[in-house]
Amino acid sequence: MSRPLRVAVVGAGPAGIYAADILTKSDTPVSIDLLERLPAPYGLIRYGVAPDHPRIKQIVNALQRVLERPEIRFLGNVDYGVDVKLEDLRQHYDAVIFATGADRDRDLAVPGVDLPGSFGAADFVSWYDGHPDAPRDWPLTARGVAVIGAGNVALDVARVLAKTADEMLSTEIPDNVYRGLAASQVTDVHVFGRRGPAQAKFTPLELRELDHSPNVEVIVYPEDIEFDEGSLRAINGSNQVKMVVKTLQDWALRDPGNRPRRLHLHFLHRPAEILGETEVTGLRTERMELDGQGGARGTGEFHDWDVQAVYRAVGYLSTHLADLPFDHDSGTVPHQAGRVLDLDGQHIPGVYVTGWIKRGPVGLIGHTKGDALETIGSLLADQPLLPSPAEPDPDAVLDLLRQRGIRFTTLEGWNRLDQHERALGEARGRERIKVVPREEMLDIATR
């Protein structure tokens, strides 16, 4: 091929940028466009990581260096399935890699889940992270709140709900989020896991951070600290599980303090029903018991909790992408080593997936590097067989977007937006303050 390999990566979060990074480090000359639905890059790092986790956000520095490579071009505010379709991309690229992640809440099948006051964690995370498509206001009138789930997202949601607004003021939260948290009436946040402490999916660092707030008392109940043979195998087989369990045991043994807010961690409680007629007035859970194999079974004993809001943090789910097959149960695109498969199990030439749309929303951010390595390996192995685009000229894509009236952003525009947000923060003694409305972001990035 006398020209560089033209590749479109749909999604400019960590998964998409890692794929572009690996491609540029290969021996194959490449020209890559990162197409992103939002005006700004970084996906989960910008809109899915809690604002009081700045160390995780430092990953942005490494991702920014990748975006600055001359082989890579960022095109933001381009919505796949609306602004462009697969047919459009195949006209302009040799290959298309989908790295769109997961942005919806997995369903929780319990009565009352649709009551006002029952929320999905993904929606709440989008609000406090200043996602441009999230509402500006959030109802924080509940005194007692339940969070259903035993993973890091559940801990993030619980921690943000329990901490005072002033504790978050040093972060990059937008002004509307600070005002919302400042008006919160919460006194008690309850986190419920269906299985035991050895089956929780917390990471040790995330768990220990709960206890760092001077305003939040973390409470663990001794009767919830149960282990069976399956639990012991998990503890002995993983240092991470061992550290999580030890932290929980230590907290269960101590006497509660007198901090003004309380964060309760409950294990062996299955959500059975969200109570209320016109709004959430409580949560009913069933007491569970370990089954010896790492699972849990119901005991028929129920407990009602006095809460006025319930947050479901039981997992994320990807959105079905136009023109691609989709497994609705797993929330993934069928693939073989990253090669997208059609309904007959045959590889669709030149179409690939990586990240959560490929393997589901599990694992940490760094795990997407392995996904990308496998997918890029498949793409490069397929290179002699890739269909040649009709319009391989990089400028042809820009012409198409302009013809369709799409206000797309570039890396230069993102840098302007980034500088603007940092200037807002500096003026108020903070690192940055996010610009939230999409139109305002576009006005800054495209001027």
Side-chain angles (χ1 to χ4, degrees):
M1 185 180 295
S2 58
R3 56 173 176 79
L5 182 71
R6 289 279 293 146
V7 179
V9 179
V10 180
I17 296 177
Y18 286 147
D21 177 36
I22 294 169
L23 256 178
T24 58
K25 291 177 178 176
S26 70
D27 294 330
T28 300
V30 292
S31 170
I32 303 167
D33 284 345
L34 277 161
L35 278 60
E36 169 59 49
R37 184 173 64 87
L38 299 173
Y42 308 135
L44 175 68
I45 300 294
R46 182 172 166 91
Y47 293 116
V49 174
D52 57 347
H53 277 178
R55 70 184 185 282
I56 297 178
K57 291 177 181 289
Q58 292 306 310
I59 299 172
V60 164
N61 295 332
L63 299 181
Q64 177 79 13
R65 289 193 291 272
V66 176
L67 288 185
E68 290 171 351
R69 292 180 189 161
E71 306 96 328
I72 298 174
R73 184 169 61 181
F74 171 71
L75 300 175
N77 201 48
V78 179
D79 191 357
Y80 173 79
V82 177
D83 299 327
V84 293
K85 303 288 181 65
L86 181 58
E87 180 181 359
D88 299 316
L89 298 181
R90 300 185 79 173
Q91 285 287 312
H92 293 84
Y93 301 94
D94 298 288
V96 182
I97 303 171
F98 289 91
T100 49
D103 58 1
R104 295 188 296 123
D105 285 292
R106 188 173 289 278
D107 292 336
L108 179 66
V110 297
V113 73
D114 295 324
L115 281 170
S118 172
F119 306 105
D123 292 334
F124 183 57
V125 171
S126 292
W127 174 74
Y128 68 60
D129 266 332
H131 194 292
D133 297 336
R136 301 282 75 81
D137 299 316
W138 193 271
L140 291 168
T141 57
R143 301 178 312 281
V145 177
V147 180
I148 299 171
N152 282 346
V153 174
L155 293 188
D156 279 350
V157 168
R159 191 182 65 255
V160 171
L161 285 167
K163 290 172 75 170
T164 63
D166 284 350
E167 290 179 78
M168 304 292 285
L169 193 55
S170 61
T171 73
E172 62 184 33
I173 60 170
D175 290 339
N176 67 294
V177 176
Y178 173 75
R179 291 192 300 270
L181 293 174
S184 174
Q185 301 179 35
V186 71
T187 59
D188 291 84
V189 177
H190 300 264
V191 179
F192 294 95
R194 184 178 58 85
R195 296 186 293 170
Q199 287 77 43
K201 300 301 181 184
F202 313 139
T203 53
L205 185 60
E206 187 97 8
L207 178 64
R208 289 195 294 265
E209 281 188 349
L210 293 182
D211 210 33
H212 292 173
S213 169
N215 299 299
V216 181
E217 198 69 49
V218 181
I219 301 171
V220 177
Y221 296 86
E223 62 267 26
D224 288 354
I225 305 298
E226 291 189 11
F227 307 103
D228 60 0
E229 291 183 6
S231 301
L232 296 177
R233 285 195 298 271
I235 294 169
N236 293 328
S238 168
N239 285 332
Q240 176 168 299
V241 173
K242 189 176 299 182
M243 287 187 285
V244 166
V245 167
K246 184 176 188 313
T247 298
L248 293 170
Q249 286 178 312
D250 290 344
W251 289 350
L253 292 173
R254 69 185 181 183
D255 294 328
N258 59 357
R259 297 171 186 174
R261 294 183 177 184
R262 293 163 294 278
L263 198 162
H264 311 258
L265 296 175
H266 304 276
F267 299 95
L268 295 169
H269 282 274
R270 177 188 70 85
E273 183 178 357
I274 298 174
L275 305 175
E277 295 185 1
T278 60
E279 61 183 6
V280 172
T281 59
L283 174 69
R284 178 169 295 159
T285 63
E286 181 182 12
R287 183 68 180 181
M288 308 294 283
E289 62 182 9
L290 297 171
D291 64 6
Q293 303 299 317
R297 56 182 170 241
T299 65
E301 176 188 341
F302 293 87
H303 184 86
D304 290 353
W305 305 86
D306 182 20
V307 298
Q308 298 81 47
V310 175
Y311 289 77
R312 309 178 304 277
V314 294
Y316 284 168
L317 201 63
S318 297
T319 300
H320 185 192
L321 295 169
D323 304 323
L324 291 186
F326 193 69
D327 184 328
H328 290 273
D329 291 331
S330 65
T332 59
V333 171
H335 71 94
Q336 184 177 54
R339 299 177 175 95
V340 173
L341 304 177
D342 63 19
L343 296 178
D344 296 321
Q346 300 300 310
H347 175 213
I348 302 175
V351 184
Y352 303 84
V353 285
T354 191
W356 282 1
I357 192 68
K358 173 185 177 184
R359 63 180 169 87
V362 293
L364 302 177
I365 292 169
H367 292 159
T368 56
K369 289 183 179 179
D371 286 336
L373 190 63
E374 179 186 61
T375 295
I376 297 306
S378 295
L379 188 158
L380 294 175
D382 296 343
Q383 188 177 348
L385 304 175
L386 294 176
S388 184
E391 300 287 349
D393 182 359
D395 289 338
V397 175
L398 304 184
D399 292 340
L400 174 68
L401 297 178
R402 293 187 185 105
Q403 289 167 9
R404 294 183 176 177
I406 299 166
R407 295 179 68 192
F408 62 89
T409 59
T410 62
L411 182 61
E412 180 183 5
W414 154 244
N415 288 335
R416 278 197 298 272
L417 178 60
D418 181 52
Q419 292 165 8
H420 181 84
E421 291 183 344
R422 292 182 184 277
L424 284 178
E426 185 177 351
R428 303 190 203 175
R430 295 160 63 182
E431 181 180 353
R432 76 186 302 141
I433 297 175
K434 280 182 182 173
V435 171
V436 179
R438 183 185 290 263
E439 286 304 312
E440 185 177 346
M441 294 174 69
L442 289 173
D443 288 342
I444 296 167
T446 60
R447 66 188 178 200

